[in-house]
Every structure is written in C-alpha cells, then in structure tokens.
Amino acid sequence: MAQVLVVTSGKGGVGKTTSTAALGAALAQNGDKVVVIDFDVGLRNLDLVMGAERRVVFDLINVINGVAKLPQALIRDKRLENLNLLPASQTRDKDALTEEGVAKVIDELKTKFDWIICDSPAGIERGATLAMRYADAAIIVTNPEVSSVRDSDRIIGLLDAKTVKAERGERIEKHLLVTRYSPGRAARGEMLTIEDVLEILSTPLLGIIPESEEVLRASNIGSPVTLANSLSSPARAYFDAAARLRGEKVPMVVPSDGRGLLNKLFGRKAA
Amino acid sequence: MTLFKLFRRGSAPVARERLQILLAHERVARSQPDLLGQLREEILAVISRHVAFEPDKVQIKMDRGRSVSTLEVEIEIPNALGAELAKAS
C-alpha cells in the first residue's frame, strides 16, 4: 500500500526541501518506488535541490489543469531510476491548486508508487494545508530553536484538524525530525536538547540530523545528501530515519563525522 | 549576577521555559475561537426559531475573569417584534 507523507514545518528555512530530497533518495536506494512532490507553487526549489531544474517541462498545476498527463510531468532521477519528481509551477497562480485536483493526482500516484512525499511550502496558507490534506503521516521538521518549535506546535494543531484523516476521526501519524542539531552545543546548554523539544511538542522522534557542511555541499551540486555523500553524518541520520519510516527499529543516535582528538579540541567552534 | 548565571547555565533553559509558557497559552487560545463560533451558531439557531432578527445585529462576547467568566449575548430585535415579545412575557 502506498504511503502518503507530508514534510512540513510552518517556519521556512528549517530543511523541509533538503529532508524531502534526502529521505526520498534514501527510500529509493532501498528499492522502493518513490515520488517527491513540490507543493511550493511560485517558489519551487525541490527541482533545484535534486539537480533536475533543467529538466522541468510540465508541473503539478499543468497536470491538475489537464494541460499535461501525469507521466509527462514526472521527472525520473538520473542517478536512481525509482526516484521521481513532480515539480511545482513557477507561476503565481496559486488558486490553480485545488483540493479535487490534488486528490486526483495523489490517487493516481498511489497506483504507481510506494512512497508519495509532499514537500510543503512554509506558512499555514493554502499551499501548506493542501500539501498535508491527503497525508497518511506527517514529518514535522524542527530546528532546536524557539521560533521553529513554536511554529511546529502550530502545524501539529493543523495536522490534527485540517487533514482528511483527522476529519474522518482517524489519527494522522506524526513524526518529528530535528535538523541542524549540535550535540555539543546542546550539552553545553547553548541549544535546546532533543529531550526539551520532545517534551514541548510531545511527538515521537523520527530522527536527529546533525548540523553539517555536507548539507550545503549537497544542495550546491544538486544532489540529495543521501546520494551526494552517503557516508556523511547527515546522510547516515537520514538513512536511519528512512529505515524507521519503513518500520524498522533503529537505535536513535546522532551520527558524527569521525574526528580525531586534535580536531575535537580545536574544531569546537564549528560544533 | 543574572548575566553570570546565564553564561554559566547557557541560554537553552531560558528558551525551554519561554516556549513552555508561550505554547501553553497559544494552545488554549487556539481552541477558544472555535468554541465561541460554535456557541454563536447554536444560540442564533435557537433564537431564530422564534424571532426574526438580522444576523449582523448580534454581538457575542466572552470575558474571562479570575474566578468567573461571562458570556454576553446581545441581539438587536426590531421594535415591532420586541413589543410582541414583551407582551408575551
């Protein structure tokens, strides 16, 4: 059975698109058929992060409007053939994103894929509520920082009220993905700890993605971090999170890039 | 002294406490407008079964006091109908 996931956060810039690409590529490397959908109409970026920006011909709105058929709009990843992208439109006609249209597209995708991952835009407007509307489960991306945690709380409220599952009286599964985490800073009391965030948001943890230069490097070259450098600490954390999504029991650790004692002593600033 | 304490403990405990207080308030506030809207709809439905009035001549206010909260419903009824109602009571 196909699983529909929404990657959401409320706040912008916390790593929704990065996480969508990284988890999508991680699930696809396991052999599952995956499609990632960009819901950020007018400000699409998933194509750029995945390195497919020059291959966009048709988009989600074109499919909803009947201008293109779904297979024409899907972009197959050049590195992973079972990873696909459905880009957002770059025009501003946000109203073209209709509830019925999105429902139809997701229903069709369900017949072809194991995972449908909806990359939500920031905010709590139409694009964000439509991205979560048909989800079976939500991944709430949160930075250990006050404004991000507050917005996540707001989004959790929306997930419990505005999704089809919630309206039917069913529970929408929620997973917290903490990104840009620095264990060192948290230990020194400079950053909210994982325990703090979990206690405040009371949502089960899907994974902890450590702060890392590799994330920017991956987006620079247009590759999900789980493909760009699969041995890096953020990639390993995303692989673990993907395994948990598949239902595997993986111990929760914060991967670190194996550094020597000298680096640990002198590289503290960066931790 | 406070600065010294902040420096020593780090700022994360402050963030944690501020968030806990803020979110407790916001969660309550979030569930409130819904309750008020629902009350409004149901009260109006009952009254409109007996009296005709204009929906925009209705004011519903909720005041939260320390020990008692009040719900204030004010409906403007056209004079003709008002006289009838007064007679009936």
Side-chain angles (χ1 to χ4, degrees):
Chain A
M1 252 279 286
Q3 271 276 316
V4 183
L5 304 176
V6 60
V7 178
T8 184
S9 70
K11 191 180 184 304
V14 295
K16 284 181 296 297
T17 302
T18 300
S19 298
T20 301
L23 288 172
L27 289 165
Q29 284 178 73
N30 193 53
D32 292 348
K33 284 180 275 180
V34 180
V35 61
V36 290
I37 315 178
D38 193 343
F39 271 82
D40 205 344
V41 173
L43 287 170
R44 73 165 173 233
N45 272 322
L46 188 54
D47 56 333
L48 192 54
V49 168
M50 306 235 337
E53 70 276 12
R54 291 170 63 179
R55 299 171 61 209
V56 176
V57 183
F58 295 113
D59 56 55
L60 175 61
I61 303 266
N62 293 148
V63 177
I64 288 177
N65 289 342
V67 173
K69 295 241 181 287
L70 185 56
Q72 293 177 291
L74 286 175
I75 302 168
R76 175 174 291 182
D77 191 271
K78 286 213 159 134
R79 300 145 295 203
L80 278 170
E81 63 159 15
N82 47 343
L83 177 60
N84 291 265
L85 163 71
L86 182 53
S89 135
Q90 192 62 320
T91 58
R92 284 171 299 153
D93 53 347
K94 274 192 187 157
D95 295 336
L97 213 55
T98 61
E99 215 175 292
E100 306 75 45
V102 172
K104 229 181 115 200
V105 169
I106 289 185
D107 273 342
E108 195 177 341
L109 289 170
K110 275 183 178 173
T111 64
K112 300 178 182 190
F113 294 97
D114 302 310
W115 300 93
I116 298 154
I117 311 180
C118 306
D119 183 19
S120 171
I124 50 173
E125 302 302 320
R126 191 184 172 77
T129 49
L130 272 178
M132 68 171 66
R133 184 88 188 127
Y134 301 97
D136 299 309
I139 296 170
I140 301 137
V141 182
T142 307
N143 289 169
E145 177 272 327
V146 286
S147 53
S148 174
V149 174
R150 178 201 211 170
D151 291 358
S152 292
D153 190 70
R154 189 82 193 278
I155 281 291
I156 290 168
L158 282 182
L159 286 164
D160 287 331
K162 303 267 181 178
T163 51
V164 170
K165 265 205 150 178
E167 283 173 7
R168 281 196 201 129
E170 295 167 40
R171 273 186 84 84
I172 175 154
E173 223 181 286
K174 283 164 295 196
H175 307 278
L176 201 65
L177 187 67
V178 178
T179 55
R180 306 200 67 167
Y181 189 65
S182 299
R185 300 195 70 186
R188 291 195 294 274
E190 297 169 11
M191 181 183 267
L192 289 168
T193 63
I194 294 295
E195 291 73 27
D196 288 339
V197 178
L198 290 182
E199 194 193 323
I200 293 167
L201 295 176
S202 40
T203 300
L205 186 62
L206 178 70
I208 307 164
I209 313 300
E211 172 83 76
S212 164
E213 296 161 7
E214 285 301 315
V215 173
L216 179 59
R217 201 185 76 84
S219 88
N220 282 344
I221 63 172
S223 169
V225 72
T226 42
L227 271 176
N229 182 355
S230 58
L231 294 175
S232 64
S233 57
R236 281 182 288 144
Y238 278 118
F239 279 117
D240 283 356
R244 291 184 196 108
L245 281 175
R246 289 193 303 266
E248 289 172 32
K249 291 247 178 293
V250 183
M252 192 68 70
V253 288
V254 189
S256 67
D257 293 309
R259 283 201 262 147
L261 183 64
L262 274 182
N263 263 327
K264 267 188 185 159
L265 285 175
F266 295 104
R268 268 211 155 163
K269 249 189 341 211
Chain B
M1 192 59 196
T2 324
L3 251 177
F4 176 69
K5 239 168 119 186
L6 260 180
F7 177 73
R8 239 181 45 155
R9 283 173 59 213
S11 51
V14 182
R16 176 195 154 100
E17 205 181 308
R18 288 178 61 220
L19 270 171
Q20 277 171 330
I21 294 167
L22 174 72
L23 292 184
H25 280 279
E26 285 190 343
R27 283 169 191 157
V28 172
R30 230 188 282 146
S31 55
Q32 210 116 87
D34 269 331
L35 175 69
L36 211 58
Q38 221 175 330
L39 269 175
R40 185 193 159 90
E41 250 172 57
E42 288 178 26
I43 290 171
L44 292 192
V46 170
I47 295 175
S48 65
R49 254 188 266 151
H50 304 282
V51 194
F53 59 87
E54 283 182 50
D56 48 324
K57 294 280 167 66
V58 177
Q59 278 195 6
I60 297 189
K61 269 196 281 184
M62 177 95 168
D63 266 323
R64 276 158 43 94
R66 196 161 268 223
S67 54
V68 181
S69 296
T70 56
L71 179 70
E72 198 181 308
V73 185
E74 197 183 306
I75 305 175
E76 228 177 84
I77 300 169
N79 257 339
L81 269 167
E84 229 171 274
L85 267 183
K87 228 195 295 171
S89 69

